[in-house]
Amino acid sequence: MLHLDLATGSRTTATTAATTATTGPVAPTEVPAPPGPPPGGEPCDLVTVPARQGLEAVDILRRGADQEAVGPVLHDGQCATLGFLVPPGTAEAWDVPGSACTQTNGRGLRIPAEPPVSGSGWLLPPGDDTSVTDPAVLRAALDQAARLIEAADNCR
């Protein structure tokens, strides 16, 4: 799992049985925090989800009416989790089962040109006019992705 070990902490929600059944267990992978804030870019928090659900959510967001709805997305080196950059302060109210939101309060993470943690890479890299993903839009896409995965798994 992408993990930013920042002094501001993180808010993690419990994984429900339905989410675990649809996404499978994900062992966390600790990734060291970047050495100080990268220069430039918009401040952001980081929502991490299992890769299967995250990839479905990316597809949902990119197929939507507003094709610019998804901001930069990171993947960990093992491609087990995805990290969506969201506005700072999102972690205060983030309660989506099976996901975690790391708070940065604008101090530790800004949208950089290069991935902010070693061993990670960009699934969707930031562009010149890139903004973060709207948390309400991301929440809806993650919910829809979980339902699609559950339906697909129940067809077996």
Side-chain angles (χ1 to χ4, degrees), residues 48-98:
T48 54
V49 297
R52 185 175 180 199
Q53 185 179 11
L55 289 170
E56 284 290 341
V58 167
D59 285 344
I60 290 164
L61 291 169
R62 294 187 84 187
R63 285 191 318 253
D66 180 11
Q67 301 221 347
E68 298 299 321
V70 62
V73 179
L74 288 164
H75 65 80
D76 63 354
Q78 301 166 351
C79 295
T81 60
L82 294 184
F84 292 82
L85 301 182
V86 294
T90 298
E92 295 170 11
W94 190 259
D95 62 353
V96 177

Side-chain angles (χ1 to χ4, degrees), residues 1-2 10-13 46-49 91 94 96-102:
M1 173 179 275
L2 293 168
S10 69
R11 177 183 174 121
T12 305
T13 58
L46 181 71
V47 171
T48 54
V49 297
W94 190 259
V96 177
S99 68
C101 189
T102 303

